[in-house]
Amino acid sequence: MNVAVLGAGYAGLMLARRLERSLPSSADIVVVNDRPDHLVQHELHRVVRRPALADRITVDLDDVLDRAEVRVARVTDVDHEAGVAHLDDEAGETTLDYDVGAVCLGAETAYYDLPGIEEHSIPLKRLPDAARIRKEFLDLGSRDRAVVGGAGLSGVQVAGELAALADEEALGCEVTLLEQADAVAPNFDADFQTAVRDELESCGVVVKTGRTVERATDTAVEFEDREALDYDQLVWTGGLRGPDALGGERPLIPDTLKLGDGTFVVGDAARVTDTDGAAVPASAAAAVREALTVAKSITRIVEDDRDGVFEPRPERFRFDAPGWLVSVGDGAVGQVGPRVVRGAAANALKSTVGATYLSVVGAPSNAVGLVRDEP
């Protein structure tokens, strides 16, 4: 039986590693990714201030996968009914047939067709984005302003890094964080939101909530009330859209995580409703947990293939994260259960989360280096 894991982000890598251990040797596993390595996405913001961390947060897939075949290609389309993925690699366009597949392609930055936003802004999804943000930011003068659009966790983290970088380099420029909702980290508890805003403001970030961006020129962001905010650099983290292979959509899928017969969607590529009927947040924590659930379902399908009578019942996903953590410059805000922490306790959590993940996926030397480089 042919099993395809499309994408090697958090969901794809965790799923592939689990399937390597759980599937019988007769099953063939192929992992398709547009790069030969895995990026620890939730640490990407740190590369803006510490470029040397790029090596710590990238992991060669061949080093952490034992039996899966790694194919470096871009997935351009998925026909989940036929069990076919369309690929584009150095040799050109090709197809990959699978019996069971998992779409783990993550999400892309959403610009919502707002005029000028994509043209004039920088996203933060890949290492070259972090390098470009850093380069342009270091060219700012003391009267200049960097604007970060979107105050989800990614926007909060990049704004905090820019403020810390400005302080380290004595740039004197302003960092402003914009959010359409009435609070930063709008999808989280009120106490967590308050603590995050306090942490941002304590490190010098100007926070503006309740501001709906309508468009951008090359010098200003314009709001729905016709007011404008001048900027010298614009970073956009204002939302998510689905991968191109799914037509840019994030399909709504149930707790089985199934898109169709034999095809699952894992991670940010879909909007998931869990067994409690709750919307699952787009996050590394959710992607990893979804991968473990789908690994059980795929293993049942493969092991049951010899019967060929009834497809086994899929595992159902329930999201239950122990808490949340967001980095803000040299500080952090964490929530464990109902308790929100800042200061030393949050920083202690911050120093272990990335390293623990790297250890789990089989990259202990990267984990040690990441901890050593923690400020």
Side-chain angles (χ1 to χ4, degrees):
M1 181 172 281
N2 298 318
V3 178
V5 177
L6 307 176
Y10 292 110
L13 180 57
M14 188 63 67
L15 175 59
R17 282 177 57 85
R18 184 55 61 96
L19 291 177
E20 285 187 325
R21 297 196 294 270
S22 64
L23 294 186
S25 59
S26 58
D28 294 322
I29 307 169
V30 60
V31 176
V32 182
N33 198 50
D34 59 359
R35 292 182 52 86
D37 50 39
H38 165 79
L39 176 66
V40 184
Q41 187 77 36
H42 72 269
E43 298 283 356
L44 180 58
H45 64 281
R46 294 179 60 189
V47 180
V48 172
R49 189 158 50 120
R50 302 280 185 265
L53 288 180
D55 291 338
R56 309 293 192 200
I57 66 170
T58 52
V59 180
D60 192 293
L61 292 174
D62 284 330
D63 289 342
V64 293
L65 292 173
D66 296 324
R67 54 177 280 211
E69 174 194 354
V70 176
R71 292 184 59 177
V72 179
R74 185 170 64 90
V75 182
T76 59
D77 186 59
V78 178
D79 185 340
H80 66 271
E81 294 180 350
V84 177
H86 295 261
L87 313 179
D88 188 6
D89 59 19
E90 292 181 350
E93 297 182 359
T94 186
T95 58
L96 172 67
D97 296 334
Y98 61 83
D99 298 299
V100 187
V103 180
C104 309
L105 296 170
E108 297 294 335
T109 302
Y111 298 98
Y112 306 110
D113 294 323
L114 298 173
I117 295 295
E118 184 172 7
E119 176 185 357
H120 298 298
S121 68
I122 310 171
L124 184 60
K125 295 296 288 184
R126 296 167 178 83
L127 286 170
D129 298 332
R132 183 182 168 198
I133 291 169
R134 173 183 173 84
K135 182 179 184 300
E136 293 188 8
F137 186 76
L138 291 176
D139 288 337
L140 299 185
S142 61
R143 296 186 179 182
D144 291 339
R145 175 188 290 125
V147 170
V148 178
L153 298 189
S154 181
V156 166
Q157 293 187 146
V158 71
E161 287 299 309
L162 291 177
L165 182 58
D167 185 58
E168 288 180 358
E169 300 293 332
L171 298 179
C173 56
E174 178 184 298
V175 177
T176 298
L177 179 61
L178 302 178
E179 172 53 46
Q180 180 179 16
D182 292 331
V184 299
N187 296 322
F188 295 85
D189 294 344
D191 289 347
F192 185 78
Q193 294 172 347
T194 299
V196 171
R197 181 162 188 154
D198 289 346
E199 194 73 27
L200 284 163
E201 292 177 341
S202 70
C203 69
V205 176
V206 177
V207 179
K208 295 181 181 291
T209 54
R211 307 309 302 268
T212 301
V213 174
E214 287 285 306
R215 62 184 56 83
T217 67
D218 59 353
T219 60
V221 174
E222 299 177 4
F223 304 108
E224 63 176 357
D225 58 8
R226 298 183 181 275
E227 290 188 9
L229 180 69
D230 293 338
Y231 72 83
D232 301 279
Q233 181 183 36
L234 178 60
V235 178
W236 186 257
T237 63
L240 301 176
R241 68 167 178 84
D244 293 338
L246 295 181
E249 299 296 325
R250 298 177 67 219
L252 180 62
I253 59 174
D255 58 359
T256 60
L257 302 172
K258 293 189 70 173
L259 183 62
D261 289 341
T263 302
F264 297 83
V265 184
V266 193
D268 295 352
R271 294 170 293 138
V272 179
T273 302
D274 76 356
T275 55
D276 295 329
V280 178
S283 65
V288 167
R289 287 163 173 78
E290 288 172 20
L292 299 178
T293 296
V294 169
K296 294 178 182 178
S297 295
I298 291 178
T299 300
R300 289 174 185 169
I301 292 172
V302 173
E303 291 179 340
D304 226 51
D305 182 55
R306 52 183 170 268
D307 295 331
V309 179
F310 300 107
E311 183 173 312
R313 180 175 297 176
E315 188 82 4
R316 296 186 178 275
F317 177 68
R318 181 177 183 273
F319 182 60
D320 185 19
W324 301 101
L325 179 72
V326 62
S327 171
V328 187
D330 288 332
V333 178
Q335 181 170 353
V336 182
R339 184 186 177 202
V340 175
V341 294
R342 294 172 62 186
N347 282 339
L349 290 172
K350 172 184 171 182
S351 67
T352 60
V353 168
T356 299
Y357 172 76
L358 283 164
S359 297
V360 167
V361 298
S365 61
N366 293 59
V368 171
L370 191 66
V371 172
R372 185 168 56 239
D373 292 336
E374 187 74 36

